């Protein structure tokens, strides 16, 4: 009698054959690893990040799209808009990926493995970007743009302990934008055939505006986020094995 070989623990993790408690533990472990690696590749001197910021500004000016100062100034001139963008930046990032992960797990379980693998491969590529191209965000470049999210991110001082571990020059690629691009792509695929699925594009569009308005990213950082997402998708697809792809139509 032939006994079927059991999949290895790594294969089980990759194919999402764990219960939700194990998936949550894995998520927390990978989150800690990502934050640690992002801090590990941080540069001690601002010289390179500021030089790279000058390169980004020069490129945007050459394209006629150096719009960050105008977006920032207009936003801060209207109190309600400043308030909305500040708290969107503060709360939408973490809340967004938590909600998205739970939604895929409970509503599109067959695609959870591919989605989860795509997400974490993209994060790994982002860390490589922070290492190879440390970049100062607009708020640290002396262009007169301030970050209205600083106090809200610390939540009244409750999270001040985290600031020494924050890589201030991890701007390229922007994962604030990258996550929303990834989520929008996944929703457009997973919500077929609903015509409302295209509203998912408002998520990254809003985030791209918000990161410029709060002086936390250049719009080119969002392009870098898109690149990380697409490359992450390519790698996840090549390693998918028998996992269903979200862009493949579900059987009727």
């Amino acid at each position: 009698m032939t006994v079927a070989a059991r999949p290895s623990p790594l294969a089980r993790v990759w194919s999402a054959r764990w219960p939700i408690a194990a998936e949550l533990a894995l998520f927390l472990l990978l989150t800690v690893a990502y934050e640690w690696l992002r801090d590990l590749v941080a540069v001690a001197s601002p010289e390179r990040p500021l030089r790279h910021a000058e390169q980004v500004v020069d490129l945007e000016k050459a394209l006629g799209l150096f719009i960050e100062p105008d977006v920032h100034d207009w936003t801060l001139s209207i109190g309600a808009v400043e308030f909305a963008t500040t708290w969107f930046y503060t709360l939408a990032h973490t809340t967004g990926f938590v909600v998205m992960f739970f939604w895929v797990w409970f509503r599109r379980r067959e695609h959870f493995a591919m989605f989860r693998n795509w997400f974490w491969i993209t994060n790994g590529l982002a860390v490589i970007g922070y290492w190879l191209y440390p970049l100062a965000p607009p708020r640290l470049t002396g262009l007169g743009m301030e970050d209205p999210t600083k106090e809200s991110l610390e939540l009244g001082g409750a999270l001040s302990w985290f600031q020494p571990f924050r890589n201030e020059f991890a701007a390229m690629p922007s994962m604030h934008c990258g996550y929303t691009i990834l989520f929008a792509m996944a929703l457009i695929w997973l919500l077929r055939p609903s015509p409302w699925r295209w509203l998912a594009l408002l998520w990254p569009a809003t985030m791209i505006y918000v990161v410029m308005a709060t002086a936390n990213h250049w719009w080119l950082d969002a392009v870098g986020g898109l690149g990380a997402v697409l490359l992450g998708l390519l790698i996840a697809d090549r390693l998918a094995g028998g996992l269903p792809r979200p862009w493949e139509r579900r059987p009727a």
Side-chain angles (χ1 to χ4, degrees):
M1 181 175 65
T2 303
V3 178
R6 291 185 177 182
S8 67
L10 180 60
R12 290 182 66 203
V13 171
W14 188 256
S15 59
R17 294 174 183 171
W18 297 98
I20 191 170
E23 287 290 348
L24 287 172
L26 177 65
F27 184 90
L28 291 174
L29 177 64
L30 291 174
T31 299
V32 171
Y34 169 73
E35 294 293 345
W36 174 73
L37 288 171
R38 191 170 67 163
D39 180 60
L40 184 67
V41 301
V43 295
S45 169
E47 182 180 352
R48 280 181 65 210
L50 288 173
R51 185 168 67 249
H52 291 159
E54 292 177 358
Q55 295 172 355
V56 168
V57 170
D58 289 344
L59 178 56
E60 291 188 357
K61 287 181 176 179
L63 295 171
L65 292 171
F66 179 51
I67 60 176
E68 288 84 359
D70 292 335
V71 171
H72 173 267
D73 292 346
W74 181 83
T75 300
L76 266 62
S77 70
I78 304 176
V81 178
E82 178 187 355
F83 179 85
T85 55
T86 296
W87 286 102
F88 187 90
Y89 183 87
T90 303
L91 299 177
H93 183 56
T94 301
T95 304
F97 65 69
V98 170
V99 170
M100 191 68 186
F101 265 75
F102 275 106
W103 182 83
V104 176
W105 174 269
F106 287 109
R107 301 305 301 270
R108 299 292 188 272
R109 181 76 59 85
E110 69 274 20
H111 293 296
F112 181 83
M114 186 67 180
F115 173 76
R116 188 232 16 239
N117 300 341
W118 177 19
F119 178 86
W120 287 112
I121 290 171
T122 300
N123 275 277
L125 294 171
V127 171
I128 295 174
Y130 306 148
W131 173 50
L132 294 177
Y133 198 77
L135 174 64
R139 59 187 168 83
L140 297 179
T141 56
L143 291 174
M145 291 185 279
E146 61 183 74
D147 177 12
T149 70
K150 186 178 186 301
E151 293 183 3
S152 61
L153 282 171
E154 295 178 2
L155 296 181
L159 296 181
S160 298
W161 63 270
F162 181 73
Q163 294 307 306
F165 305 100
R166 187 181 180 188
N167 184 348
E168 298 284 0
F169 304 120
M172 174 66 82
S174 166
M175 283 297 95
H176 271 77
C177 298
Y179 288 171
T180 58
I181 292 169
L182 189 155
F183 299 157
M185 291 174 65
L187 287 170
I188 288 170
W189 286 324
L190 296 177
L191 289 175
R192 288 176 303 176
S194 171
W196 296 102
R197 70 190 189 278
W198 296 105
L199 291 176
L201 293 174
L202 294 175
W203 197 353
T206 301
M207 184 60 79
I208 292 170
Y209 166 78
V210 165
V211 297
M212 290 191 294
T214 58
N216 278 288
H217 284 284
W218 315 95
W219 66 261
L220 277 174
D221 297 341
V223 176
L226 172 63
V229 167
L230 295 179
L231 183 55
L233 177 61
L234 177 62
I235 296 172
D237 179 50
R238 292 300 178 90
L239 299 176
L243 293 177
R245 277 76 163 174
W247 56 88
E248 295 173 343
R249 285 197 174 273
R250 305 169 72 197

